Amino acid sequence: MRVFRYIVVYMLIIQFTLPLFLQLNPIYDYRMNYDLVKDNTENIDFILDKISRQIKASEGDYVIILGDSVGFSGPGPSTQSIGYFLEKQAQEESALAAKVYNLSMPAMQTGDIYTMLLKLDEKGIATDKLIFNVIYAGFVARNPDPPPVFWLKEELKRLDKEAYDHIYPALSANGYKEEKGILAAIKRILWDKIALLKYKDVLKLNTFSYLPFINEEAETLGDFRPWYEKEGLAEMLQEPEYLNSFLDTPFDMSKNNPQIFFLEKILEHQKGKDTLVYIGGTNTELMPEQVNAPGYKDNLAQIDNYFMEREVTYINFQNKIDNQYFTDHVHLTGEGYQKMVQIIYAKINEGD
């Protein structure tokens, strides 16, 4: 009986103290750890909890970044990311904020961005200063890929059931099936309530982060050399999965388009707050036929008009970053992301 009591006490101590001892780094280092989140999006909550505590412990200002692989700044390491460069520039010039939290994830859709805003509200993390990105492909009609919510479908269901119900047909067409039944409920309860289960991935990373194979290079998303050093890249980009991202069919700019539906939700959430939206540029040497198509230009102009008519700061990066700083058709080298941050920083300071 005494042994049993010791075990119970020991488990209770773990239950209540484990989150306090787990460190934010390497789970978050200028951006979220992609491998940690892609395998289990529940791990986002640990990151947000830690960031929330960090914010409450300091009196400094901060910026939130949301977006996809461009916002995440793939394919290079975190020290060549938008979050890294923006935070360093802000600290050097003391004009924007002392801290930047980049919560972007590759493949993140506008539905995920909206859901992240709701999660930030829930954690008490303000979005008074927000930067997020969109891409041309996000406005292209979904047939049925990609889903309008990629990572956070269950969280959207929990946080905004009405929006979830509205978008569910598009999710279902993409092959999504709701988690239902007693087993799903038990799994959710166990995951939420038992610390050793809830934080098992984070615990593993904290425990083994000192090993040599857990390093900065492991968190890159692939080959981050300049595009002109990559053999076969131009040919690969002629595959349908890439060309479909540049379709020049006229966009539906109404709420019937899931992109617009969620953008309206995001902009409503951000009313009265400092919000900067940017659309990344396209490498014109790799995709000349696509970016020069009249329909593509018309669609891009529609995107420009949409944001210029809203109460946000907007940047279209097309032709603003030289092609030599691209790693492929849309992603940048570290130097390219640094140049992007310089433009963002200058745009923000225009309004000061």
Side-chain angles (χ1 to χ4, degrees), residues 233-244:
L233 176 62
E235 292 75 17
M236 183 185 73
L237 292 174
Q238 294 306 305
E239 295 293 328
E241 62 182 294
Y242 295 102
L243 293 180
N244 288 343

Side-chain angles (χ1 to χ4, degrees), residues 39-107:
D39 293 332
N40 191 344
T41 56
E42 300 278 0
N43 289 317
I44 292 174
D45 284 325
F46 174 81
I47 295 171
L48 297 186
D49 286 338
K50 281 290 186 180
I51 287 174
S52 178
R53 290 191 185 98
Q54 197 173 85
I55 288 170
K56 289 173 183 176
S58 91
E59 298 179 356
D61 205 355
Y62 60 93
V63 170
I64 300 294
I65 299 177
L66 293 171
D68 58 16
S69 56
V70 175
F72 184 85
S73 310
S78 64
T79 51
Q80 293 182 16
S81 68
I82 290 172
Y84 174 84
F85 290 125
L86 187 59
E87 183 167 301
K88 293 304 178 185
Q89 186 158 354
Q91 290 173 348
E92 287 172 7
E93 300 190 22
S94 300
L96 175 61
K99 196 70 181 171
V100 175
Y101 295 106
N102 188 353
L103 304 175
S104 304
M105 271 288 288

Side-chain angles (χ1 to χ4, degrees), residues 153 168 233 274 285 304 311:
K153 305 173 188 74
Y168 180 77
L233 176 62
D274 292 335
E285 287 190 57
D304 290 346
E311 295 180 6

Side-chain angles (χ1 to χ4, degrees), residues 110 137-142 148 166-167 250-263:
T110 49
F139 294 84
V140 173
R142 296 161 197 264
H166 176 86
I167 213 71
F251 286 159
D252 179 356
M253 298 298 285
S254 75
K255 288 186 180 180
N256 292 325
N257 185 338
Q259 180 85 344
I260 299 299
F261 173 77
F262 280 116
L263 279 174

Side-chain angles (χ1 to χ4, degrees), residues 27-192:
I27 288 82
Y28 176 93
D29 184 24
Y30 298 109
R31 65 188 184 194
M32 297 195 294
N33 184 300
Y34 176 68
D35 287 330
L36 180 81
V37 174
K38 77 176 175 62
D39 293 332
N40 191 344
T41 56
E42 300 278 0
N43 289 317
I44 292 174
D45 284 325
F46 174 81
I47 295 171
L48 297 186
D49 286 338
K50 281 290 186 180
I51 287 174
S52 178
R53 290 191 185 98
Q54 197 173 85
I55 288 170
K56 289 173 183 176
S58 91
E59 298 179 356
D61 205 355
Y62 60 93
V63 170
I64 300 294
I65 299 177
L66 293 171
D68 58 16
S69 56
V70 175
F72 184 85
S73 310
S78 64
T79 51
Q80 293 182 16
S81 68
I82 290 172
Y84 174 84
F85 290 125
L86 187 59
E87 183 167 301
K88 293 304 178 185
Q89 186 158 354
Q91 290 173 348
E92 287 172 7
E93 300 190 22
S94 300
L96 175 61
K99 196 70 181 171
V100 175
Y101 295 106
N102 188 353
L103 304 175
S104 304
M105 271 288 288
M108 188 173 269
Q109 305 292 311
T110 49
D112 295 294
I113 292 174
Y114 171 63
T115 307
M116 282 294 290
L117 291 175
L118 300 182
K119 287 176 70 65
L120 291 168
D121 291 344
E122 190 175 51
K123 301 293 184 179
I125 300 172
T127 57
D128 294 340
K129 296 181 186 295
L130 175 71
I131 297 171
F132 74 93
N133 81 289
V134 296
I135 56 173
Y136 181 94
F139 294 84
V140 173
R142 296 161 197 264
N143 191 31
D145 199 55
V149 189
F150 188 86
W151 296 109
L152 301 173
K153 305 173 188 74
E154 289 296 317
E155 285 295 86
L156 176 64
K157 180 182 177 182
R158 181 176 68 85
L159 294 166
D160 189 339
K161 185 65 162 53
E162 184 178 347
Y164 171 84
D165 288 341
H166 176 86
I167 213 71
Y168 180 77
L171 298 177
S172 179
N174 196 261
Y176 167 67
K177 294 182 179 179
E178 291 184 286
E179 292 184 2
K180 291 181 177 180
I182 295 176
L183 288 178
I186 292 173
K187 176 187 171 186
R188 181 78 187 184
I189 291 170
L190 290 175
W191 184 264
D192 282 346

